[in-house]
Amino acid sequence: MSVIQLWRRIRRVDKPVAVIVGAGNLLLCGVLFLMMIGGALGFEATTREQETAARTLAGQTFGCWLAGGLLLFSVLGMTRALFSHLATMLFTPVALALILMLL
């Protein structure tokens, strides 16, 4: 398999990958948001130290996932997946926070 064939195959699967990335990021952001506010199952913090540790872990996971996805999709040249990743990772926490404030 030549490099050109590999490049064409990557470009061909860009659209389905973008949909999968968007759905996965929505789920991940929801779980991380629940971790940060202390409402996720298995992450119920009972002390201030546990709350701080859960918030720090969620923030680090979010930042590494965002940076890793941006790097991976830009190196592979998957622009739809890149913009899908960026949009869902940035707008989902904002939307969840607004929903939480409105309730």
Side-chain angles (χ1 to χ4, degrees), residues 42-53:
F43 295 104
E44 292 92 9
T46 56
T47 63
R48 178 63 73 185
E49 292 82 20
Q50 290 175 340
E51 289 176 0
T52 305

Side-chain angles (χ1 to χ4, degrees), residues 1-96:
M1 176 183 291
S2 71
V3 175
I4 295 173
Q5 289 174 339
L6 182 63
W7 185 258
R8 285 181 185 160
R9 184 177 289 177
I10 289 173
R11 298 289 294 163
R12 192 172 37 245
V13 298
D14 187 20
K15 197 175 209 177
V17 168
V19 173
I20 294 168
V21 165
N25 284 343
L26 286 174
L27 292 173
L28 177 71
C29 285
V31 170
L32 291 177
F33 187 75
L34 286 174
M35 271 180 68
M36 290 190 82
I37 63 172
L41 295 174
F43 295 104
E44 292 92 9
T46 56
T47 63
R48 178 63 73 185
E49 292 82 20
Q50 290 175 340
E51 289 176 0
T52 305
R55 190 173 298 122
T56 303
L57 178 64
Q60 288 174 347
T61 305
F62 179 83
C64 291
W65 191 263
L66 176 65
L70 291 176
L71 179 69
L72 176 70
F73 297 130
S74 63
V75 166
L76 291 176
M78 301 175 84
T79 55
R80 287 184 184 113
L82 175 73
F83 287 124
S84 172
H85 177 69
L86 186 62
T88 55
M89 290 296 286
L90 295 181
F91 295 134
T92 302
V94 172
L96 289 173

